[in-house]
């Protein structure tokens, strides 16, 4: 434990207390402080000026980030008939119907994303208590309830990420690995940030992005200037 604390202390010493960094500078600092002995994830955390208790202030959508997250997702498809073959050909890891519904009901959760055809949703609805808490429940809003199975599978495999605000009004997402270049991370963060801004609910008044930070999974958070980041991104 002392070793970990010493590593974190050294990482924190590289960050100027109270300073808001520019986005590109913050990304490089996140890489510089990713000193664990494995390929850490790089994350972004955005606190929004929304009240998630209100349905009209929920922020949830998906976006394909240019360089993926560095994690290969195991995709499960719940479908029937010809859509089973379509899912298999698109590269889904698990494909089935009622058999997989029963397996999930028994506690099996060895997958990272779930896509379902609309005609399977009556059965999928029973899985809410298993999939919902893990953020895996298929939704038309996120493009995971669809008959366009091939496109959905390929997009998730290529780097489509879902973002959603938590009960504290914060969006947390992985945007790559420390093995990525700073330019790749910038491209991913820019794309996700733009999608979050675009998803602003019409009912939200005042400041939308309250705070913004980047960090490695085992490193300290680096605070980014939200207004500066918006200008930086808009200028590219």
């Amino acid at each position: 434990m002392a070793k970990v604390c010493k590593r974190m202390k050294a990482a924190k010493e590289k960050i100027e207390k109270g300073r808001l960094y520019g986005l590109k500078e913050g990304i490089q600092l996140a890489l510089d402080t990713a000193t664990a002995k494995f390929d850490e994830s790089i994350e972004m955390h955005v606190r929004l000026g929304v009240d998630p208790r209100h349905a009209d202030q929920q922020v949830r959508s998906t976006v394909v980030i240019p360089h993926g997250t560095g994690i290969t997702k195991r995709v499960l498809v719940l479908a029937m008939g010809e859509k089973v073959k379509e899912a298999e050909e698109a590269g889904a890891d698990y494909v089935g119907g009622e058999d997989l519904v029963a397996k999930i009901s028994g506690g099996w959760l060895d997958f990272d994303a779930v896509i379902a055809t609309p005609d399977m949703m009556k059965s999928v609805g029973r899985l809410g208590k298993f999939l919902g808490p893990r953020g895996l429940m298929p939704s038309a809003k996120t493009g995971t309830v669809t008959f366009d199975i091939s496109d959905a599978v390929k997009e998730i495999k290529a780097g489509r990420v879902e973002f959603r605000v938590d009960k504290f009004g914060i969006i947390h997402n992985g945007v790559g690995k420390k093995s990525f270049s700073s330019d790749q991370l910038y491209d991913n963060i820019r794309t996700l940030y733009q999608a979050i801004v675009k998803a602003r609910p019409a009912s939200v008044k005042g400041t939308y992005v309250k705070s913004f930070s980047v960090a490695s999974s085992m490193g300290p958070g680096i605070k980014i200037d939200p207004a500066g980041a918006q200008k930086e991104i808009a200028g590219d």
Side-chain angles (χ1 to χ4, degrees), residues 56-158:
D56 64 350
Q57 293 195 31
Q58 288 289 324
V59 179
R60 182 182 183 187
S61 190
T62 61
V63 64
V64 177
I65 56 176
H67 307 290
T69 62
I71 299 171
T72 301
K73 288 191 173 182
R74 298 162 297 174
V75 179
L76 179 146
V77 175
L78 297 168
M80 297 184 289
E82 62 182 20
K83 292 298 176 180
V84 170
K85 184 178 180 182
E86 182 181 334
E88 291 172 342
E89 290 178 346
D93 299 276
Y94 308 103
V95 186
E98 294 295 338
D99 56 330
L100 285 185
V101 171
K103 191 173 181 179
I104 294 167
S105 296
W108 178 70
L109 293 165
D110 194 22
F111 45 85
D112 306 300
V114 181
I115 301 168
T117 52
D119 55 2
M120 282 295 300
M121 287 308 292
K122 185 176 180 180
S123 297
V124 175
R126 304 197 304 267
L127 301 176
K129 65 180 180 180
F130 301 101
L131 301 180
R134 295 168 176 80
L136 295 172
M137 193 67 181
S139 164
K141 189 172 183 179
T142 60
T144 49
V145 176
T146 178
F147 280 121
D148 295 326
I149 294 296
S150 181
D151 287 346
V153 171
K154 289 175 181 177
E155 282 191 1
I156 290 174
K157 288 288 190 179

Side-chain angles (χ1 to χ4, degrees), residues 23 26-27 30 43-45 189 212-216 220-224:
L23 182 53
I27 290 169
E43 307 163 351
M44 65 181 284
H45 307 274
I189 290 173
F212 179 15
S213 65
V214 296
S216 64
I222 295 118
K223 294 181 179 179
I224 305 298

Side-chain angles (χ1 to χ4, degrees), residues 48-52 54-60 141 163 165 171 195-209:
L48 303 177
V50 301
D51 187 344
H54 300 298
D56 64 350
Q57 293 195 31
Q58 288 289 324
V59 179
R60 182 182 183 187
K141 189 172 183 179
F163 60 89
V165 69
I171 289 175
I196 292 170
V197 170
K198 186 177 179 180
R200 175 176 181 153
S203 61
V204 173
K205 307 301 179 186
T207 303
Y208 179 51
V209 178

